Amino acid sequence: MTDPTSAPASDAIIDARRREMAVEHLLFGTIRFVAQRHPELLDELDGSLDHLWDKAHGEARDDEAVREIARRFIKSLHTES
């Protein structure tokens, strides 16, 4: 039998994941659009990564993992330009 108390949590996680994907898509497209007109933007973003950190607490926190994801995004944008 399914636990009815887990459904709202699952729905919340699914909604959060979908929002994250939508925001990621829109932001990536916006950065691509602006970087085509202002290529220096990607260098500025790359230079700002030292200030990026993971909001998690305890052992789950991994600032460098968050920065690496951002580096991969920037690298892919550099490749497109």
Side-chain angles (χ1 to χ4, degrees), residues 18-78:
R18 289 175 178 162
R19 279 192 309 275
E20 180 181 345
M21 291 171 61
V23 168
E24 184 178 294
H25 172 79
L26 295 171
L27 183 58
F28 194 80
T30 301
I31 293 170
R32 179 189 303 126
F33 178 83
V34 174
Q36 288 172 345
R37 287 148 184 81
H38 301 280
E40 69 277 8
L41 172 67
L42 298 179
D43 293 332
E44 283 291 319
L45 290 172
D46 195 37
S48 73
L49 295 182
D50 288 341
H51 302 287
L52 183 59
W53 52 279
D54 187 348
K55 292 183 179 183
H57 299 284
E59 291 182 21
R61 183 174 178 165
D62 190 345
D63 296 339
E64 193 52 39
V66 173
R67 291 180 190 124
E68 184 55 33
I69 292 168
R71 282 187 199 101
R72 288 194 312 249
F73 275 111
I74 293 168
K75 182 179 179 182
S76 69
L77 286 163
H78 268 295

